């Protein structure tokens, strides 16, 4: 789709636009991965996660700097080499037929990508919108919901700042009340987390904001259960899925949430500036657009996408990221990411002074985790890793979570993790 000269000519009705031939995308890597993937057969994802031959093919799909070891996939994950190629080709194609593309083709092509994305996410194309990131997706919802003075929004102190700030702005503008709960996450069971939310709901609570996977430590929260409980009490739920989207294996409807936002440039490896917004069909009409719109009916999610001239090449390239993720399988990706986390965490957690800030049980974490060292500031640890060993991570200095966030990805090799383990050993034993 979207990438061959034949498709291009079909799209333009065979018009000679003076454009040079668009060479077929080099998806040989995706084909190679598909073949390797088929070779694995039906072995369980946990077994596939340990098949270094298979993951070698994935590692080869990326072109990464050899100057440092990147263990910070939480901000954004690179595109594969073929993804970068697809982006260049889509950019070139649009630039050869600039306004023609925008006036005659972009609408249809965005609908095609949206359709593809909806299939990938497990929902209807009428319920999703391509945005630029989680911040845009969830600001649309938070700023657009009907909340009046005194209505309560409930969220944990560990939520991502952009969403907290949106609710704080609603409090300043509209007089809503933000009820912020403190949950010592790591030491609290899923049942107790759900209880904590339930106990904090009052007659005035209208909405809960909850991260599926926290950005501080990678802990997975029981969002499905929180949604069930909240719905029983007449409360809507917004899920911040910035880190769980294509990191763990689920379809959006599995969560049973009302609103959902994620960044496709994080774990999915789509181009920077691609996000997804999902709104349960019967809730769309309740959300006011953030950018004024008179083009769509109130129950059409496209009313929320009126951002002006759009970065079309980036949006088209989502198709390539979907293809790449499908060629691996999200179940295998989840298993590999968890395997990589377990690989380093099981060793590092034994070193003197190490404090794991992430629960290790399978349901409560995956590839992203946080490790601190007693009496050592997060920035000291992070600087040591980078300055001495050229290992790049990020310092997390939250009240109850202090450490380095370690986020390997499907392109990370075990050899790289061994360098990290050795560096941590050296620090802890010196
Ligand atoms: C939990 C969470 N939500 C939202 C965001 C914001 O993502 P973006 O900047 O892509 O909008 C992040 C970014 O790291 C995040 O970790």
């Amino acid at each position: 789709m979207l990438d061959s000269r034949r498709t291009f000519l079909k799209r333009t009705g065979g018009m000679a636009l003076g454009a040079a031939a668009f060479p077929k995308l080099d998806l040989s890597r995706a084909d190679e991965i598909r073949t390797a993937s088929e070779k694995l057969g039906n072995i369980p994802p946990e077994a596939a996660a340990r098949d270094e031959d298979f993951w070698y093919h994935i590692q080869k799909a990326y072109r990464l700097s050899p100057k440092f070891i990147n263990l910070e996939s939480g901000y954004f994950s690179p595109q594969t080499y073929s993804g970068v190629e697809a982006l260049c080709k889509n950019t070139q194609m649009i630039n050869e037929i600039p306004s023609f593309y925008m006036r005659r083709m972009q609408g249809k092509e965005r609908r095609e990508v949206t359709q593809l994305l909806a299939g990938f996410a497990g929902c209807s194309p009428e319920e999703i919108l391509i945005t630029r990131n989680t911040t845009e997706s969830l600001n649309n919802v938070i700023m657009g919901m009907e909340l009046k003075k005194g209505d309560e929004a409930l969220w944990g102190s560990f939520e991502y700042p952009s969403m907290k700030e949106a609710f704080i702005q609603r409090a300043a503008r509209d007089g809503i009340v933000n009820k912020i709960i403190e949950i010592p996450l790591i030491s609290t069971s899923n049942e107790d987390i759900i209880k904590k939310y339930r106990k904090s709901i009052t007659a005035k609570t209208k909405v809960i904001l909850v991260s599926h996977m926290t950005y501080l430590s990678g802990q997975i929260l029981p969002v499905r259960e929180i949604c069930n409980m909240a719905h029983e009490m007449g409360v809507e739920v917004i899920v911040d899925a910035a880190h769980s989207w294509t990191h763990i294996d689920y379809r959006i409807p599995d969560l049973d949430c009302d609103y959902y936002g994620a960044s496709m440039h994080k774990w999915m490896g789509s181009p920077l500036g691609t996000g997804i917004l999902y709104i349960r069909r019967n809730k769309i009409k309740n959300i006011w657009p953030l950018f004024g719109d008179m083009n769509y009916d109130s129950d059409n999610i496209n009313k929320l996408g009126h951002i002006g001239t759009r970065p079309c090449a980036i949006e088209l390239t989502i198709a390539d990221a979907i293809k790449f993720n499908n060629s691996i399988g999200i179940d295998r990706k989840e298993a590999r990411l968890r395997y990589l986390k377990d690989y380093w965490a099981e060793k590092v957690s034994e070193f003197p002074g190490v404090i794991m800030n992430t629960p290790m049980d399978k349901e409560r974490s995956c590839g992203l985790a946080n490790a601190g060292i007693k009496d050592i500031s997060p920035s000291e640890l992070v600087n040591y890793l980078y300055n001495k060993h050229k290992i790049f991570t990020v310092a997390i200095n939250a009240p109850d979570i202090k450490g380095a966030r370690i986020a390997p990805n499907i392109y990370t090799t075990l050899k790289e993790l061994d360098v990290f383990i050795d560096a941590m050993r050296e620090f802890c034993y010196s």
Side-chain angles (χ1 to χ4, degrees):
M1 182 191 168
L2 306 171
D3 46 22
S4 71
R5 176 168 166 75
R6 200 158 50 93
T7 317
F8 170 75
L9 289 174
K10 220 167 93 194
R11 282 195 312 241
T12 57
M15 278 177 67
L17 289 163
F22 291 103
K24 207 171 173 307
L25 275 184
D26 174 17
L27 292 173
S28 52
R29 198 65 82 197
D31 290 343
E32 186 183 309
I33 291 166
R34 198 168 303 110
T35 309
S37 189
E38 279 160 14
K39 246 203 210 154
L40 286 178
N42 284 332
I43 64 168
E46 289 71 21
R50 292 162 183 268
D51 189 313
E52 293 309 314
D53 286 345
F54 174 69
W55 295 99
Y56 176 70
H57 288 292
I58 309 293
Q59 290 149 12
K60 273 203 315 187
Y62 292 86
R63 182 182 285 185
L64 298 171
S65 170
K67 293 191 176 152
F68 63 93
I69 294 173
N70 180 15
L71 296 185
E72 211 310 61
S73 293
Y75 198 147
F76 93 95
S77 301
Q79 294 176 255
T80 58
Y81 182 64
S82 82
V84 174
E85 249 191 346
L87 180 57
C88 293
K89 285 175 180 164
N90 286 330
T91 305
Q92 182 64 33
M93 181 271 288
I94 289 171
N95 278 279
E96 291 187 20
I97 49 169
S99 302
F100 181 91
Y101 182 84
M102 301 309 266
R103 294 196 185 282
R104 302 218 175 162
M105 293 164 66
Q106 66 157 323
K108 178 172 174 289
E109 299 220 326
R110 188 172 326 109
R111 280 193 295 280
E112 283 178 17
V113 178
T114 303
Q115 189 101 30
L116 206 60
L117 184 59
F120 185 62
C123 45
S124 143
E126 280 79 42
E127 293 176 308
I128 61 164
L129 182 73
I130 295 171
T131 62
R132 289 169 292 188
N133 48 49
T134 313
T135 304
E136 180 179 323
S137 296
L138 296 188
N139 264 263
N140 255 308
V141 174
I142 297 168
M143 303 307 255
M145 8 179 47
E146 293 264 11
L147 293 174
K148 56 182 192 317
K149 193 167 183 222
D151 285 347
E152 288 177 7
L154 174 61
W155 38 271
S157 57
F158 50 85
E159 291 300 336
Y160 193 72
S162 312
M163 293 359 118
K164 294 187 247 229
E165 286 160 20
F167 271 120
I168 290 166
Q169 189 163 322
R170 288 298 308 258
R173 284 171 64 167
D174 305 309
I176 73 157
V177 176
N178 286 309
K179 208 149 167 206
I180 303 161
I181 45 177
E182 303 289 340
I183 306 179
L185 281 176
I186 314 146
S187 55
T188 311
S189 69
N190 279 350
E191 292 68 35
D192 287 343
I193 290 172
I194 299 160
K195 261 191 221 150
K196 183 90 189 186
Y197 279 94
R198 187 192 294 121
K199 270 170 78 186
S200 310
I201 290 176
T202 71
K204 292 191 170 164
T205 308
K206 295 286 182 277
V207 63
I208 291 176
L209 163 72
V210 61
S211 286
H212 196 185
M213 182 184 282
T214 73
Y215 77 102
L216 300 166
S217 66
Q219 178 163 342
I220 297 169
L221 293 179
V223 290
R224 168 87 200 203
E225 292 79 0
I226 291 172
C227 288
N228 291 346
M229 176 277 295
H231 289 156
E232 274 170 23
M233 301 181 80
V235 175
E236 295 185 330
V237 182
I238 303 172
V239 171
D240 180 339
H243 284 293
S244 71
W245 166 253
T246 74
H247 180 157
I248 51 178
D249 188 23
Y250 67 94
R251 300 298 188 94
I252 296 176
D254 297 341
L255 305 183
D256 202 27
C257 57
D258 303 287
Y259 311 97
Y260 171 106
S263 297
M264 292 193 266
H265 48 235
K266 288 196 185 286
W267 295 86
M268 182 175 171
S270 198
L272 259 182
T274 48
I276 178 170
L277 166 65
Y278 159 88
I279 303 183
R280 190 195 286 271
R281 197 187 293 252
N282 64 349
K283 306 275 174 176
I284 297 170
K285 62 180 184 321
N286 304 339
I287 303 294
W288 284 95
L290 195 55
F291 299 91
D293 182 86
M294 301 290 284
N295 299 308
Y296 295 101
D297 291 340
S298 66
D299 60 354
N300 187 326
I301 197 165
N302 289 300
K303 72 181 179 182
L304 305 176
H306 195 151
I307 57 164
T309 307
R310 307 183 69 95
C312 296
I314 286 174
E315 295 179 343
L316 289 182
T317 313
I318 293 167
D320 184 84
I322 292 175
K323 203 177 280 183
F324 182 71
N325 277 270
N326 277 339
S327 71
I328 300 170
I330 305 296
D331 53 347
R332 286 183 184 153
K333 190 170 157 184
E334 170 179 345
R336 175 65 173 183
L337 291 170
R338 187 172 286 110
Y339 171 66
L340 293 177
K341 188 273 311 291
D342 289 345
Y343 182 87
W344 68 262
E346 278 165 14
K347 299 175 182 81
V348 166
S349 60
E350 297 293 316
F351 300 159
V354 167
I355 301 161
M356 285 306 298
N357 291 313
T358 306
M360 285 299 116
D361 25 329
K362 188 170 178 253
E363 296 72 35
R364 299 181 84 203
S365 64
C366 190
L368 184 83
N370 182 310
I373 299 182
K374 192 170 177 290
D375 300 330
I376 299 295
S377 78
S379 56
E380 187 180 342
L381 175 59
V382 163
N383 289 338
Y384 158 79
L385 289 170
Y386 187 73
N387 296 340
K388 181 117 195 256
H389 296 280
K390 289 284 168 278
I391 297 167
F392 181 61
T393 64
V394 61
I396 299 287
N397 202 350
D400 56 348
I401 297 178
K402 296 187 189 300
R405 188 175 74 173
I406 309 300
N409 208 323
I410 49 175
Y411 45 75
T412 307
T413 63
L414 296 186
K415 225 163 127 187
E416 287 175 315
L417 290 181
D418 286 337
V419 175
F420 169 63
I421 294 162
D422 287 345
M424 289 294 281
R425 184 183 291 109
E426 180 186 291
F427 193 95
C428 294
Y429 282 98
S430 62

